[in-house]
Amino acid sequence: MGDELRRRSAEEVFREHLRLAAEHRFVEDIERNLAPDCVILERRGVFRGPGGARQLARWLAEELPGGRYTYQNLLVDGRFAFLEWTAQADGARVRDGADSFVIEDGWIVAQTIHYTVEPA
């Protein structure tokens, strides 16, 4: 199955990442879609690989427990992807989510993440 995953297009990887994230299946998403040497830039710093992604996923789950995500703008061009998103959770919301991605050989190899959590 690993070879099959690595043959996916950037758009296929991107769409699966969004689906799994919306379903709160972060561990599966990280295993299937994130390169072992991925670099993630986020307001709290630079995070690397699955360990860094798991830390960010934990923080997001704490900030938006049971969050419901709305994907507003999805763009893919070659190996690049961009996402604008909002989220709603009990007592919190995000109105300015924006992520960018570099996807190669069926992996997300780089990502930037921006969002502001507000009281709802």
Side-chain angles (χ1 to χ4, degrees):
M1 174 150 85
D3 288 342
E4 181 181 306
L5 290 176
R6 304 296 62 95
R7 288 193 295 269
R8 296 175 299 161
S9 70
E11 184 160 359
E12 289 170 319
V13 173
F14 183 53
R15 293 206 178 266
E16 180 178 80
H17 164 70
L18 298 179
R19 179 180 58 80
L20 292 172
E23 295 170 0
H24 301 271
R25 294 166 56 190
F26 299 116
V27 171
E28 183 179 354
D29 177 36
I30 290 166
E31 290 173 359
R32 290 176 59 85
N33 298 315
L34 197 81
D37 58 351
C38 180
V39 175
I40 305 168
L41 306 175
E42 198 260 3
R43 70 184 186 279
R44 290 167 276 209
V46 177
F47 298 82
R48 298 184 183 278
R54 282 191 293 273
Q55 177 63 55
L56 290 168
R58 278 191 296 275
W59 286 339
L60 184 62
E62 291 169 5
E63 294 167 332
L64 296 168
R68 296 168 305 283
Y69 298 92
T70 301
Y71 302 137
Q72 298 180 310
N73 189 16
L74 294 84
L75 302 171
V76 179
D77 186 9
R79 64 189 187 118
F80 303 106
F82 176 74
L83 167 68
E84 288 180 302
W85 57 276
T86 62
Q88 188 72 41
D90 290 339
R93 69 180 177 196
V94 170
R95 295 187 292 176
D96 66 348
D99 298 7
S100 60
F101 303 82
V102 179
I103 303 168
E104 298 174 344
D105 300 321
W107 293 113
I108 296 169
V109 297
Q111 182 177 358
T112 66
I113 302 170
H114 167 78
Y115 64 93
T116 307
V117 179
E118 305 172 341

